[in-house]
Amino acid sequence: MEEKKLDLNSIIGMLLIVGIFFWMMYQNKPSEAQLAAEKAKKELVAKEAQAKAVAAKQAVAPAAVITPGDSTQLAQLQKTLGGFAYSATLPSAKNDVTTIENDYVLLKIANKGGYIVEATLKNFEKFKKNSGQLVSLIKDNNADLNIQLQTSDNRILNTKDLYFEPALTKSGADQILSMKLKAGANEYLEYKYILKPNDYMVGFDIRSQGLNKVLNTGKPLDLQWNMKTYRSEKSIAYENRYTEVRYQYEDNKHNYVNDGKDKEETPDKVSYIAFKQHFFASILITDTPFEKAQLKSNKLALDETKDTVFIKDLKAAVPLAFHNGELDYKMSWYFGPTDYATLKAYDKNIEKIVPLGWGIFGWINKFIFIPLFGFLTGGISYGIAIIIFTILIKLAMSPITYKSFLSQAKMKVLRPDITELGEKYKKDPMKKQQETMKLYSKAGVNPMAGCIPALIQIPFMYASFQFFPSAFELRQKGFLWADDLSSFDSVYKLPFHIPLYGDHISLFPILAAIAIFFYMKMTSGDQQMAAPQQEGMPDMAKMMKMMIYVSPIMMLIFFNSYGAGLSLYNFISNLITIGIMFVIKNYIVDSDKIHAQIQENKLKEPKKPGKFQQRLQEAMEQAEAQKAKKK
């Protein structure tokens, strides 16, 4: 191809075009007057805009209120909000709240989202008595409630971002707040709140009207409830331990989401979900069980020295099913204390969120500890009530203590005979066991008699470990140096933090540790004498000697951050046990009489061994036979 070159005519043409361009610019250049006028106009526009901005900040009403009936604005909103664009054109489309309250709770419900943005309990203070800070379960955006709407034109909208129209009315003494997210004058999604006087329970209904053409009703909507639980108690570690998601599912079964990072459960047929803190709870209860729930718990207070505002991040997601193209759920909110009696009075099984233990431990707490302690706290100090409570429990258990000690005394008398049999049949363990069992039978001694009474006492001990941390009555009740029996009784603040122990010294755990040390010192000798060393078995004497020191140390470490009420109970309990053992040992059980009785029993015909002894002997004989066969 021949290369194209610039000729003289082309150069002249380009120069003419450039000249014409500059001439046109010069002709259109504004005059000095025009420039001044334009500058003044811009300054005026800027001043007007600034004045409008200042006025908008100072105005009581929001700056942007859509004019009702404005078809142009409505058309623009419909591009993003679809059928719910109507709600944004109403005067209620602003960040206002409506307050409803009684003598127990104060609730604030926001126009935006229609959910509760503040739930404050009027009769309880945070951290300590007279702190001046009321307990707020919901405040400053720590919680939200959202329904994810799927519209018929394939939009995904969130109710927490949309504006509801409030209407507050009264029915007698009841306050009724209707919050409507409108898609038209008579088409809406409604949240209805009903607050009665002197009540922690709030009626909460969700229903829709005329939305079967606006929403996709082919599948359920997703209700999402999220909350970061505020710290309300003195001990972060203690509150962290008892903050969790609890729920009732299927046939009145109860469970909880495990503690830790990003824990999750997906139960079916859920009738209530409780975001339970140590002494307070937010509970969503439904008359129509949710088909399935996705429940999550995430631990936030990982470092007690830094994470001091929130305890855990709790989440729940449940489906809301349509019936005949509409939603209709009768529900309730509970915002209040986790007091067993208060919760039980509602007859909705929500008292099950109080962790009293399973099986026999729960029965002891429900039918013995709670009624007895409730009776004692009628008009006396809670500390004195704990002491009387402990005395009554220990006195009731004293016959069992007596049986246990009597069995130990009998075994102690037989120890020389058992040692003799051990030496005589040193090379024949099977024969030694058989002769030992014969000796027990002749003497009328049951080697298991000392274990059974001790086993009976274990459920009561475990029940106390569940009862005292859950006893709401102890919250912020003082006794002696302890200003709060539900939390640790710090007598000295350490300038540093000790792992597992904490940054303070509690006195009641020290007293309980001293008491348990002397109790074990007192009883370990008799236990060692009562239990002769068995061949091939651990040396119990050494183990008991070690436990004398290990148990008090464990008491000091683990109880330092526990509630003072539990430590006081253990201290008094060990003191009383020491006293009972002293009386039994020195004034009731006579070792000489026991020895004479055993010698007399030896001369009698041996009693027929019990079923347990027979089975034990048969098992030993079979084991010995198999051993001989292998040889």
Side-chain angles (χ1 to χ4, degrees):
M1 178 186 276
E2 183 179 358
E3 186 177 351
K4 194 171 184 179
K5 296 181 181 180
L6 287 175
D7 56 12
L8 183 61
N9 293 331
S10 298
I11 294 171
I12 294 171
M14 290 176 65
L15 290 174
L16 288 172
I17 291 171
V18 171
I20 293 169
F21 176 75
F22 279 107
W23 179 80
M24 290 177 64
M25 288 181 62
Y26 178 79
Q27 289 294 320
N28 292 320
K29 181 180 178 181
S31 64
E32 293 290 333
Q34 288 175 322
L35 288 172
E38 185 67 20
K39 183 178 179 181
K41 185 178 179 181
K42 287 181 179 179
E43 289 176 352
L44 180 62
V45 171
K47 286 180 180 180
E48 289 177 352
Q50 187 177 2
K52 286 181 180 179
V54 172
K57 289 181 180 179
Q58 295 176 345
V60 176
V65 177
I66 307 300
T67 305
D70 190 323
S71 59
T72 304
Q73 291 174 326
L74 185 61
Q76 290 176 347
L77 288 169
Q78 284 176 337
K79 293 178 181 179
T80 55
L81 302 181
F84 291 99
Y86 180 86
S87 63
T89 68
L90 301 175
S92 56
K94 52 188 176 182
N95 294 325
D96 279 356
V97 297
T98 304
T99 301
I100 55 176
E101 60 184 309
N102 58 23
D103 290 340
Y104 290 2
V105 296
L106 180 146
L107 304 175
K108 292 183 179 180
I109 296 91
N111 288 12
K112 188 174 183 180
Y115 59 86
I116 298 170
V117 292
E118 182 176 336
T120 298
L121 305 180
K122 292 185 172 183
N123 301 317
F124 303 105
E125 293 177 299
K126 295 171 65 175
F127 309 134
K128 62 181 181 180
K129 195 173 182 179
N130 299 323
S131 69
Q133 303 177 63
L134 294 177
V135 171
S136 291
L137 300 178
I138 302 175
K139 195 173 183 179
D140 297 334
N141 301 316
N142 74 311
D144 64 63
L145 184 79
N146 178 59
I147 298 179
Q148 197 170 75
L149 304 174
Q150 302 179 36
T151 66
S152 55
D153 55 355
N154 297 320
R155 299 175 193 274
I156 302 294
L157 302 175
N158 293 298
T159 58
K160 66 180 181 180
D161 300 326
L162 304 175
Y163 288 99
F164 287 65
E165 183 180 56
L168 181 60
T169 58
K170 279 196 171 186
S171 176
D174 298 350
Q175 300 170 68
I176 302 173
L177 176 62
S178 170
M179 303 292 292
K180 292 180 179 178
L181 173 62
K182 291 189 171 182
N186 296 307
E187 296 87 38
Y188 52 82
L189 173 68
E190 182 185 32
Y191 296 167
K192 182 184 287 186
Y193 300 89
I194 305 169
L195 181 62
K196 298 178 180 179
N198 302 323
D199 206 341
Y200 295 109
M201 193 73 74
V202 185
F204 180 59
D205 300 342
I206 297 180
R207 72 181 190 95
S208 64
Q209 178 175 303
L211 295 182
N212 52 348
K213 293 182 180 179
V214 179
L215 297 176
N216 177 8
T217 60
K219 54 183 179 179
L221 301 181
D222 188 21
L223 173 68
Q224 302 158 349
W225 177 31
N226 307 314
M227 178 184 289
K228 287 184 178 180
T229 59
Y230 281 120
R231 174 193 166 203
S232 298
E233 310 304 322
K234 183 167 70 172
S235 174
I236 301 173
Y238 215 33
E239 188 169 9
N240 206 343
R241 187 179 297 117
Y242 292 101
T243 297
E244 58 198 357
V245 181
R246 286 190 166 260
Y247 55 92
Q248 178 173 282
Y249 67 110
E250 292 178 351
D251 298 324
N252 293 333
K253 297 177 183 176
H254 296 83
N255 209 337
Y256 62 95
V257 180
N258 290 325
D259 188 29
K261 292 285 289 179
D262 299 321
K263 298 297 182 179
E264 182 176 342
E265 296 289 339
T266 54
D268 298 328
K269 303 292 183 182
V270 176
S271 52
Y272 71 68
I273 300 167
F275 288 175
K276 178 193 169 295
Q277 297 168 235
H278 188 184
F279 286 123
F280 301 97
S282 306
I283 311 175
L284 178 61
I285 309 161
T286 177
D287 293 350
T288 305
F290 304 122
E291 284 297 319
K292 198 173 192 66
Q294 185 179 28
L295 309 174
K296 295 181 179 180
S297 175
N298 187 27
K299 190 174 180 179
L300 298 178
L302 302 176
D303 186 342
E304 294 179 25
T305 61
K306 297 177 182 178
D307 305 324
T308 59
V309 178
F310 297 109
I311 298 296
K312 287 183 181 174
D313 186 11
L314 309 178
K315 298 178 182 294
V318 296
L320 298 180
F322 287 94
H323 296 282
N324 299 320
E326 301 290 357
L327 292 176
D328 190 7
Y329 277 81
K330 302 290 184 184
M331 298 188 283
S332 301
W333 287 110
Y334 174 86
F335 298 106
T338 55
D339 176 57
Y340 185 84
T342 301
L343 295 170
K344 188 173 177 59
Y346 287 106
D347 196 26
K348 293 179 179 291
N349 281 339
I350 55 177
E351 73 275 7
K352 299 292 181 67
I353 71 170
V354 181
L356 297 177
W358 54 272
I360 189 172
F361 313 118
W363 299 340
I364 291 170
N365 277 323
K366 291 175 189 174
F367 303 117
I368 299 176
F369 283 9
I370 290 177
L372 177 60
F373 194 71
F375 172 76
L376 292 174
T377 53
I380 60 174
S381 160
Y382 281 84
I384 298 297
I386 290 175
I387 293 173
I388 297 174
F389 173 84
T390 311
I391 292 171
L392 293 175
I393 295 296
K394 296 307 291 186
L395 286 177
M397 301 293 289
S398 59
I400 297 174
T401 306
Y402 169 75
K403 290 273 188 183
S404 180
F405 187 81
L406 182 62
S407 177
Q408 289 178 17
K410 289 181 178 180
M411 293 294 291
K412 183 178 178 181
V413 170
L414 282 179
R415 183 179 173 87
D417 294 336
I418 295 171
T419 302
E420 183 182 342
L421 289 174
E423 290 295 326
K424 185 176 180 180
Y425 301 104
K426 194 171 185 179
K427 296 182 179 180
D428 191 350
M430 182 62 191
K431 185 67 175 175
K432 183 183 76 171
Q433 293 291 347
Q434 289 175 341
E435 293 300 320
T436 301
M437 297 301 289
K438 287 180 183 178
L439 175 63
Y440 289 150
S441 181
K442 279 185 179 182
V445 174
N446 183 355
M448 298 300 294
C451 299
I452 293 172
L455 290 174
I456 293 173
Q457 296 183 67
I458 288 176
F460 286 85
M461 181 185 68
Y462 182 80
S464 71
F465 279 85
Q466 297 291 319
F467 171 72
F468 283 100
S470 301
F472 181 84
E473 306 97 307
L474 298 180
R475 185 178 187 269
Q476 296 180 0
K477 300 298 191 302
F479 180 65
L480 299 178
W481 56 85
D483 59 359
D484 187 348
L485 287 168
S486 72
S487 189
F488 56 81
D489 57 310
S490 175
V491 293
Y492 183 74
K493 178 77 172 178
L494 296 172
F496 48 83
H497 186 275
I498 302 174
L500 298 178
Y501 187 74
D503 59 358
H504 61 274
I505 295 175
S506 297
L507 185 52
F508 276 130
I510 294 175
L511 295 176
I514 293 171
I516 199 171
F517 172 79
F518 283 105
Y519 165 71
M520 296 194 72
K521 193 80 172 173
M522 180 180 180
T523 58
S524 60
D526 291 333
Q527 290 173 350
Q528 291 170 26
M529 290 294 291
Q533 173 66 23
Q534 299 292 325
E535 187 177 348
M537 298 295 289
D539 190 341
M540 296 301 295
K542 288 183 179 179
M543 291 181 65
M544 288 303 300
K545 189 174 181 180
M546 187 183 301
M547 288 302 295
I548 291 174
Y549 301 97
V550 171
S551 295
I553 292 172
M554 291 177 65
M555 173 72 72
L556 280 174
I557 293 174
F558 294 108
F559 277 62
N560 191 59
S561 293
Y562 270 61
L566 180 59
S567 298
L568 173 61
Y569 171 81
N570 279 280
F571 170 55
I572 300 299
S573 177
N574 284 317
L575 278 184
I576 295 170
T577 304
I578 290 171
I580 291 173
M581 292 294 287
F582 179 82
V583 171
I584 291 173
K585 185 176 182 179
N586 292 280
Y587 299 101
I588 298 177
V589 173
D590 189 332
S591 297
D592 293 334
K593 285 185 178 181
I594 291 173
H595 184 269
Q597 183 65 49
I598 287 176
Q599 297 306 318
E600 185 181 337
N601 289 341
K602 286 181 181 179
L603 300 175
K604 297 178 181 178
E605 285 292 326
K607 293 180 180 180
K608 185 178 179 181
K611 291 183 179 180
F612 176 79
Q613 288 179 307
Q614 284 182 337
R615 290 177 183 176
L616 181 62
Q617 188 168 347
E618 289 171 3
M620 291 165 60
E621 289 173 354
Q622 289 175 3
E624 191 65 24
Q626 289 179 357
K627 187 177 178 182
K629 188 176 180 181
K630 287 181 180 179
K631 287 182 178 180

